[in-house]
Amino acid sequence: MGYALGFEDSAVTMRVKDGLVRLSFDGSNGDGANGGAKWDPSEQMLAPTNYFRGATYRSADAFGRLRRPGLYPGIDLIYYGKDQALEYDFDLAPEADPSLIRMRFEGADQVSVNSGGDLVLKLSSGEITQRRPVAYQKRASGEVVAVTASYRIAADGRIGLKLGDYDHTEALVIDPSILLDFWFTGTNAQVAISLAHDAQGFEYMAGYTYSPDFSLGSNGYQMNYASDEDCWLLKLNPYATNSGGVIVYSTYFGGELDDDMRSMVVDQYGLMYFGGTSLSPDLPMSANAAASALPNDDGYLNGFVAIIDPSQAGAAGLIYSSFYGGSMDTVINAVGAFEGQIYATGWTITPDLTTAGNLFQASINGGYDSFLAVFNPGESSSSCTGAETLVFSSYLGGYEDDVARSMDVDANGLAYIAGYTYSPNYPVSTNGFQQIYNDGGGDGFVTQIDPVAGVILYSSFLGGTGVDVATRVRVEPSGDIAVAGYTFSVDFPLSPNAAQLIYGGNGDAFVAVLNPSATTQVAGLIYGTYYGGSGSEVAEDMRVGPQGFFYIDGYTLSKDLPVTRNAINTASLNGGIDSFMAIIDPNTALVYGSYITGAGNQVAYAIDADANGNIYSAGYATGDIFPNGTPPHATPGEYDVFFMLVSPH
C-alpha cells in the first residue's frame, strides 16, 4: 500500500509518499548507453482494467509476470507477485557471470545491509526492506540445490551479489523480494458501498475513491484518468484457486469532477446496474441516454444511472448511461433492476424534475421530496433522441422533507422504497401498518409502487416516538417487506419473538418485516426487533439469506454489543467506531454477532450472503481489522476499502 511501480527500459521506479526510489542496473542492456532490453509480459490475468473516463475509453491488460531478457549477457530479470510480496528474480543461464549484476538505488537517504543480510533503504517516511537474496539451482532430476548468497555494497554505492560455490554449467536463480502489503487502497480516501452476486456465484463490489492511484486489485495500480472523485466497480471470483483469477472485471467510471457511487445491484445475467450523483459534464453517456447533458452546472447535484455488462470487452460494455435531474439538487441513493430496466430513487429539491408515465404526484410538495424513476434502454430507437428511455418518473412526498434511502424490485416489477420522512401527510395507504405520523423527529417509511399503473399499492410509516430511519428494504419471496435501519424510539414496533426486546440506548439498529397484504394493523407487523448495546448502532445494509435469516451490518459505538461465541471479535479493540455483522433468525434469536474492530475506525456499508450462509462484508477501515493483522493496513488513519468473507458456522 502506498507504493506504485513503473517498469522502464532503463530502470524500475518506485513512487513512495516522499519521492521516488529508482532501481537501475549499471552496465546492463537497458542503461541507456547500451540500448534496448524490453519487458515481455506473461501469465495474462482473466480481466483487463477498464477506464470509462469522460468521453474516452481505455482498457489495459493485466499480467502476472514481467521479464526483461538479456539484461546482462545470459541474465534475465523477472518481476512477479507472490502472496503479499512483489518479487524479482535474476535467471542466469549456464556460464553466465553473476558479477555483472550491479544494482543502484537512487532516491534513498541511505542504503545499508542489516544484521540479517537484508538490504535496507532508508527514507524520511520509513524504510523499504529488500530481503536477503536466495539463490538456487534446479537439477534435471528436479532436485533444488541452495547456493549461499549475500549483498555487497561498493564504495560508489553500487550493489552486487556475492555467491558461494555452485555448478557454473547449470542455470542459477537469484531471488530477492520487496514486501508490498495492500488492501483496495490509494493515497486518499476510498469506500465500498455495495455488494451483490449473480446466479453463478460471482461477487460484485462498487464504491468511490478520491485517489489518483486507487488499486483495482492486486494486478496493478492506475495513476492516470482520475478526477476529484470517481466511481469504481469490480467483479470477483471469491473461490479462485490463484490470486490472478480473483478479479474478473474492474473499471473506473467518472468524469472531470466529482462522481459519487451510491448504489449498485446485479441481475441474474451479471449486468451491473448502478447510480449516484455527478458534477461532471463529461460523464460517460450512452447514445440512447434519456438526458445526455448535465441537467445543471451551477454546483447543484445531478443524478445519474448506468448499466455495464462486464462480459463485453471494451466500450461495448457500457449498455446504458443517463443523467437525471433538474435545475437544483437531485440525488440518486438507490437503484434496482427488472428485465433490463434500471429503477432509481432518492431525493430532490428541484421543481422541474422530468416526469413521465402515469403519475401519482406530478409536482414537488415541499422541502426534499423522494421520487421514483424507471429507465428502459430498450425503448430507444435510431430515429429518437433517447428521451423515451425514461418510461416513468414521479415525485413522492409530503409538505416537509422526505428522503428515500433504499429500494428493491420484485419479480413483477413492483418497486419498494424505504427512507425517512418529516411529513405528517406523507402518502400512506389505508392498509398501511402505521398510518399516523409519530411527531418525534422523523419516522421511517415503506412504500410499494406499481410504475406501470402509476399507483401506490402500499405505504406505511414505521417508527416510534423518537427518530426512526429506514436504511435498507428487501422483498422476501413471500412478498413480505423486510426493512432495516436505526431508531431512537423506546417504543419501536416489536414482535413477541424479537431477538432483542429491550432498547439498548442511544440508538439501536432494527429489523422489521411488514405484510402488505394484511387486513388488520395487528397482522401488518410480522417481525420487529432491536439490535444494539448501550451506545449507538446504525444498520447500513441487510440481506435476506438462506433459511429466511436476516444478515445485517453497519457500525456501532457500543462496548456491550450482543455477540456470539464464534465471533471474529467478541469485544471492541479500540473504543472508537467499530463495524459489526449479525445474523438474526426471526424464529429464534441472534444466530451470529461479531465486531469488526481494529486500531482505527471502520464502517461496513455492504453485506451479502451466499447459498452456504457465508457472510461477505465491505466498507472502509482506517486501521488493521483482519485477524493477526494479515494483511496489514499500512497507512493508519487513511480510509481504505476492506472486503472480507466470513463463515459463521
Side-chain angles (χ1 to χ4, degrees):
M1 208 298 306
Y3 297 81
L5 289 161
F7 297 91
E8 309 164 18
D9 289 345
S10 59
V12 175
T13 302
M14 180 182 294
R15 183 175 62 80
V16 295
K17 289 185 176 180
D18 52 356
L20 297 174
V21 176
R22 190 169 183 268
L23 169 59
S24 58
F25 303 91
D26 287 2
S28 72
N29 289 332
D31 70 355
N34 296 315
K38 300 294 184 182
W39 294 100
D40 290 335
S42 62
E43 295 185 6
Q44 185 169 354
M45 295 185 178
L46 292 177
T49 296
N50 301 289
Y51 308 95
F52 290 96
R53 293 288 301 121
T56 64
Y57 167 80
R58 293 284 300 277
S59 181
D61 289 329
F63 298 87
R65 285 178 176 260
L66 284 176
R67 174 185 289 268
R68 281 180 62 183
L71 179 69
Y72 297 98
I75 301 175
D76 294 351
L77 173 65
I78 303 100
Y79 271 88
Y80 58 95
K82 182 179 180 182
D83 298 324
Q84 297 299 312
L86 178 78
E87 299 200 357
Y88 64 94
D89 294 355
F90 295 104
D91 275 8
L92 279 69
E95 306 298 344
D97 184 1
S99 67
L100 295 175
I101 298 173
R102 287 166 288 173
M103 298 177 286
R104 186 183 296 275
F105 287 94
E106 302 169 273
D109 297 331
Q110 181 182 348
V111 180
S112 61
V113 178
N114 65 19
S115 59
D118 302 331
L119 194 66
V120 179
L121 312 180
K122 291 189 176 181
L123 309 166
S124 60
S125 62
E127 296 181 348
I128 300 174
T129 301
Q130 181 171 292
R131 299 301 184 192
R132 180 173 182 164
V134 175
Y136 59 90
Q137 293 183 298
K138 288 185 177 180
R139 304 289 189 231
S141 63
E143 178 187 9
V144 177
V145 179
V147 177
T148 59
S150 61
Y151 297 112
R152 58 181 182 180
I153 303 178
D156 62 359
R158 292 184 300 176
I159 300 162
L161 296 165
K162 183 179 180 180
L163 301 178
D165 294 334
Y166 68 96
D167 185 351
H168 289 258
T169 65
E170 297 282 349
L172 175 71
V173 176
I174 305 171
D175 176 12
S177 65
I178 298 176
L179 300 181
L180 293 174
D181 293 333
F182 64 91
W183 297 0
F184 294 101
T185 187
T187 52
N188 297 317
Q190 36 275 322
V191 174
I193 53 89
S194 287
L195 286 172
H197 65 271
D198 63 18
Q200 287 72 46
F202 290 104
E203 193 70 20
Y204 299 74
M205 182 163 54
Y208 58 88
T209 179
Y210 292 90
S211 296
D213 54 354
F214 175 69
S215 62
L216 286 178
S218 59
N219 58 341
Y221 288 85
Q222 215 299 337
M223 298 172 59
N224 303 314
Y225 307 106
S227 63
D228 295 335
E229 179 185 2
D230 268 359
C231 307
W232 54 266
L233 301 102
L234 290 170
K235 178 180 178 180
L236 308 172
N237 180 0
Y239 301 104
T241 57
N242 62 82
S243 59
V246 173
I247 296 180
V248 181
Y249 178 85
S250 60
T251 186
Y252 288 93
F253 186 88
E256 64 186 29
L257 298 176
D258 284 357
D259 309 293
D260 185 17
M261 176 79 74
R262 295 294 184 94
S263 177
M264 181 271 298
V265 298
V266 175
D267 68 12
Q268 60 180 325
Y269 306 109
L271 299 183
M272 294 184 285
Y273 301 70
F274 59 98
T277 63
S278 177
L279 297 175
S280 296
D282 62 339
L283 192 72
M285 290 289 112
S286 59
N288 58 342
S292 58
L294 202 66
N296 75 77
D297 57 3
D298 297 326
Y300 290 104
L301 297 172
N302 303 276
F304 78 86
V305 294
I307 306 172
I308 282 181
D309 182 356
S311 69
Q312 297 295 316
L318 183 62
I319 302 300
Y320 184 75
S321 179
S322 177
F323 287 115
Y324 177 72
S327 58
M328 301 178 72
D329 286 332
T330 299
V331 172
I332 289 176
N333 277 332
V335 298
F338 174 71
E339 294 184 346
Q341 301 176 85
I342 182 167
Y343 290 46
T345 191
W347 61 267
T348 186
I349 59 173
T350 193
D352 55 354
L353 192 68
T354 302
T355 56
N358 297 314
L359 302 179
F360 52 79
Q361 184 179 323
S363 61
I364 194 167
N365 275 339
Y368 292 31
D369 263 12
S370 299
F371 60 82
L372 173 63
V374 180
F375 303 81
N376 186 352
E379 287 293 322
S380 63
S381 64
S382 59
S383 61
C384 299
T385 63
E388 71 277 10
T389 59
L390 180 64
V391 295
F392 179 82
S393 176
S394 176
Y395 291 97
L396 172 64
Y399 57 69
E400 296 291 346
D401 290 345
D402 316 284
V403 175
R405 290 280 304 267
S406 177
M407 78 174 309
D408 200 3
V409 183
D410 69 14
N412 298 311
L414 303 181
Y416 299 75
I417 299 174
Y420 64 92
T421 179
Y422 295 99
S423 298
N425 68 329
Y426 180 87
V428 295
S429 58
T430 56
N431 63 334
F433 161 68
Q434 185 178 324
Q435 300 177 32
I436 304 299
Y437 175 73
N438 282 313
D439 191 9
D443 271 357
F445 71 80
V446 182
T447 302
Q448 179 193 44
I449 297 170
D450 182 346
V452 176
V455 295
I456 295 175
L457 301 176
Y458 176 85
S459 189
S460 176
F461 295 110
L462 180 63
T465 52
V467 176
D468 312 282
V469 176
T471 59
R472 194 64 65 202
V473 61
R474 303 288 183 190
V475 184
E476 298 192 66
S478 63
D480 295 332
I481 309 171
V483 187
Y486 61 94
T487 178
F488 289 85
S489 297
V490 296
D491 55 352
F492 186 85
L494 304 176
S495 57
N497 57 336
Q500 181 179 326
L501 285 165
I502 305 300
Y503 177 61
N506 296 307
D508 278 0
F510 73 78
V511 175
V513 181
L514 303 179
N515 178 5
S517 301
T519 56
T520 65
Q521 184 177 16
V522 173
L525 180 70
I526 296 175
Y527 185 74
T529 185
Y530 293 113
Y531 178 70
S534 57
S536 298
E537 282 76 36
V538 171
E540 292 285 356
D541 200 6
M542 179 261 293
R543 294 278 177 174
V544 181
Q547 300 176 306
F549 293 176
F550 301 113
Y551 290 66
I552 61 172
D553 69 359
Y555 65 90
T556 178
L557 277 71
S558 295
K559 303 303 167 281
D560 54 356
L561 186 73
V563 297
T564 51
R565 290 191 299 175
N566 57 339
I568 300 173
N569 300 107
T570 57
S572 171
L573 298 180
N574 68 336
I577 300 173
D578 289 318
S579 297
F580 70 83
M581 58 175 67
I583 304 175
I584 296 173
D585 180 353
N587 298 310
T588 55
L590 182 67
V591 175
Y592 180 81
S594 177
Y595 286 95
I596 304 173
T597 183
N601 295 324
Q602 39 276 326
V603 174
Y605 283 115
I607 197 166
D608 200 7
D610 62 22
N612 297 317
N614 297 316
I615 309 171
Y616 300 77
S617 184
Y620 79 83
T622 61
D624 289 328
I625 62 171
F626 298 119
N628 304 316
T630 304
H633 186 273
T635 54
E638 290 191 2
Y639 285 49
D640 285 332
V641 171
F642 75 82
F643 172 80
M644 64 171 61
L645 169 60
V646 176
S647 175
H649 308 299

